[in-house]
Amino acid sequence: MGTRGARSARRQVRQRIDPVRSLLIATAALCAAGSLVWTFLTGFAEPRIALAFGILIALGELARIALPGQREVSPIASASALGYTFLLTVGADPVAQGAAQVIAVTAVGLALGELPHVAVGRIPRWGDLARRLLVIGLVALAFRPLASVLGSPEPHWWLALTAMASIVMLSWLADSVIAAVLRAERLRTRFPVAFRDEVRAQFPISVATGASGILIALASSVMGLAALLVFTAPLIVTQVAFRRFAEIRLTYLQTVRALSRVTEVGGYVETGHSRRVSRLAHAVGCELGMRESELLELEYAALMHDIGQLSLRDPIPSGATVLAPPREQRRIAELGSAVIRETGVLDNVAEIVRRQCEPSAGEGETGPPPLASRIIKVANAFDDLVGESTDRDRIEAVLQRLRMDTDREYDPDVVAAVARVLDRPRSRW
């Protein structure tokens, strides 16, 4: 438990020193501080309404969820903040909160929602928290000046709805851009790839959040503050569904990781081999611009790439398949692929494992193996020859050996990517 906590703390330290993330956090902190000072100096408009929305934002942040891909979202808090931003009237009474007050209420609500997490030792993901605040700030700066023009939504509700929906879409794109920049920096991958991954991953939850925020604002004109409870309830159901999906995905990955250790426990490969190959393969996949779904399959395949060794009567010394005859390597890969296919849901992973021993140009008419297979072939060979050693001369000698075989066995682009990854500190991949 102590080791896991120390590892988490080191990860948070690395996040803090990322330049883009640091700039984002500093900008959000300045916006929050400036908005709070301005609001206190000019006074709160409709403090009862601000308090109601602030409490719901805090409760939503308390119930935030972590999605696959190390994404943290808070649908209820974001929908509540959007509802407060788009608020035109409550009942028959107009509201006049400015953009600064919206940012201030959101900042206080998010901070209060974080306190219980901090109290039990969970370090906040400051980058995700800052992103949520800045997106609401952008929406508030875009919409609140229009509020005085729109007035009550009843006579021209379609105009208010169009403005809200347009701003929500723009804010979703802005949020995707910010998230993609952070993801590209964290994973050292290409921005266009990270942007596509973020757009695809955030679209469902963003649609639910944006629609709920708009409904809360429009319904408040008729129902008053009761609209907060009525239109937050469907979002709670949606959040539960997303949480279960994330838990199932995490359980699936943990199961694969547990299966990958069977070869280590049985003495077929060195301890930590599958984990090291998976880690290096993932970093190389990011370097080469693989999509998130491809990276997940690569991680699964890298963790289970040696599972075919369980069929061997006599284990290969140190489990180094790179030293085995080519025919033996292919037999191990095919047996491992057959085992993985038995799951019924990992056919792509099984194909990656089956073709991991083929030359980079492929064999016969099948063409070159998938990129994931070529990455695993290089990552496995590197770890078989280097292991846990950090000796730079040994690493350079192994890289040179791999480069000498790029005319047939190893993909030269993959070998070059491995060299670039290894040039970074280990904490960066």
Side-chain angles (χ1 to χ4, degrees), residues 82 85-86 135-147 150 159-175 210 214:
L82 284 174
T85 304
F86 292 145
V135 168
I136 295 301
L138 292 174
V139 174
L141 290 172
F143 184 81
R144 289 319 301 175
L146 299 176
L150 293 172
L159 187 60
L161 178 60
T162 301
M164 293 175 186
S166 300
I167 292 175
V168 164
M169 289 299 297
L170 291 174
S171 69
W172 166 60
L173 289 175
D175 188 34
I214 293 173

Side-chain angles (χ1 to χ4, degrees), residues 252-300:
Y252 208 70
L253 180 57
Q254 289 173 341
T255 302
V256 171
R257 286 173 176 166
L259 287 173
S260 71
R261 295 196 67 240
V262 173
T263 52
E264 299 176 10
V265 174
Y268 288 89
V269 299
E270 291 186 347
T271 301
H273 170 72
S274 297
R275 176 180 52 81
R276 292 192 300 271
V277 171
S278 175
R279 185 181 180 190
L280 179 58
H282 186 276
V284 173
C286 292
E287 183 74 20
L288 295 177
M290 295 180 72
R291 298 193 308 271
E292 184 176 2
S293 57
E294 295 171 334
L295 287 172
L296 184 63
E297 290 181 346
L298 173 62
E299 183 175 6
Y300 286 167

